[in-house]
Amino acid sequence: MNLIIFGPPGAGKGTQSSFLVESKKMFQLSTGDLLREELKSKSKLSEKLKIIMDSGKLVSNDIINNLIEKKIANPLINNNIIFDGFPRNIDQAKSLDKMLSKYQQKISLVLNLKVDNFILVKRISGRVSCSVCKKPFNKFFDPPGDPSECTTKACINRELIKRSDDNESTVSSRLKTYEESTLPLLKYYDSLNVVRNVDAMKSINQVTKQIIDIINDI
Ligand code: AP5
């Protein structure tokens, strides 16, 4: 099954995806992570990407669709993908449908993580992630402990990384972009009858439980 984990910045998409990767052996396809990998290359493209991402706006659909198609074409992850942070507008959703049908696949579930805006700002400003496994932590809600509690043995040498777009001024722009471009996508997926709402204001474990119950119910 392919699913989309949907929600505003800081809703917990990455956090919950990492649980699904572990418990359901799914493959997480995060456009944010793919773009951040590209930033490390220090190419001309990466300079342009950094400016867009630090402003909280969306990177162009062509760049994103190209990144995604390369991954969907991989038979090893066929029909077992969590789309995290993609699609983010109606053009991307329609391109995704086309790409999936080219490889005889579809979206079976959209998990809509619902969180109030005032909580999102705190979640984003407190976020740090493991440099090795990318697992997110939060200095207010889920403080990182000893590295041996992280996901892999290699995490023992981890650094805790803070994203350059995780600051209060960029957050308000990211939330505005989400409300204008991404939220309207819910109507599109509602019409396909694949949306299930998740109360993502609850604790991380309680959110995971809701998600696992939904998936087991399908
Ligand atoms: P992206 O990396 O996708 O960021 P985002 O959508 O803004 O989402 P986040 O990663 O900030 O949040 P999340 O929901 O994953 O939350 P997390 O689990 O980390 O995109 C970054 C940028 O790249 C975009 O602004 C855009 O420029 C560009 N981009 C990416 N995709 C694109 C696309 N498709 N098209 C165009 N441009 C694109 O959790 C957040 C924090 O909260 C963590 O610290 C976590 O520990 C904590 N937390 C999580 N759940 C809970 C809980 N239940 N209770 C308490 N704390 C919690």
Side-chain angles (χ1 to χ4, degrees), residues 7-16 30-33 35-36 52-54 56-61 64 84-88 92 113 123-124 126-128 136-139 141-142 163 165-166 174 200-205 207:
K13 303 183 293 295
T15 304
Q16 296 302 330
S30 155
T31 40
D33 285 348
L35 291 167
R36 281 183 286 279
I52 299 169
M53 291 168 76
D54 283 349
K57 299 213 167 97
L58 295 183
V59 170
S60 81
N61 292 341
I64 297 292
D84 165 8
F86 175 86
R88 262 178 148 94
Q92 290 185 8
L113 306 192
R123 285 194 187 172
I124 290 173
R127 169 170 49 193
V128 287
F137 297 95
N138 193 286
K139 67 177 183 188
F141 305 115
D142 180 26
R163 279 168 42 177
D165 59 344
D166 277 353
R174 284 162 64 193
M201 299 279 282
K202 298 249 182 335
S203 72
I204 292 175
N205 287 344
V207 176

Side-chain angles (χ1 to χ4, degrees), residues 98-194:
K98 272 193 206 145
M99 285 186 256
L100 286 174
S101 92
K102 184 170 159 191
Y103 297 97
Q104 291 82 46
Q105 298 178 60
K106 64 174 184 166
I107 293 296
S108 303
L109 175 64
V110 175
L111 291 164
N112 177 29
L113 306 192
K114 299 179 76 167
V115 186
D116 292 346
N117 280 9
F118 74 98
I119 295 281
L120 296 174
V121 175
K122 211 162 177 190
R123 285 194 187 172
I124 290 173
S125 58
R127 169 170 49 193
V128 287
S129 326
C130 170
S131 57
V132 180
C133 71
K134 311 278 185 284
K135 185 172 181 213
F137 297 95
N138 193 286
K139 67 177 183 188
F140 305 113
F141 305 115
D142 180 26
D146 189 274
S148 61
E149 292 164 3
C150 212
T151 317
T152 71
K153 280 189 183 161
C155 299
I156 198 87
N157 296 318
R158 77 179 180 196
E159 283 175 58
L160 292 169
I161 299 189
K162 189 165 171 62
R163 279 168 42 177
S164 62
D165 59 344
D166 277 353
N167 56 70
E168 283 195 24
S169 62
T170 307
V171 170
S172 53
S173 162
R174 284 162 64 193
L175 288 173
K176 190 166 175 276
T177 304
Y178 172 77
E179 273 154 24
E180 287 173 0
S181 305
T182 309
L183 194 54
L185 269 183
L186 268 188
K187 264 196 182 165
Y188 174 72
Y189 285 112
D190 248 340
S191 73
L192 303 177
N193 212 13
V194 289

Side-chain angles (χ1 to χ4, degrees), residues 44 72 85 98 118 127 206 214:
K44 276 217 164 141
I72 291 179
K98 272 193 206 145
F118 74 98
R127 169 170 49 193
Q206 286 169 320
I214 291 172

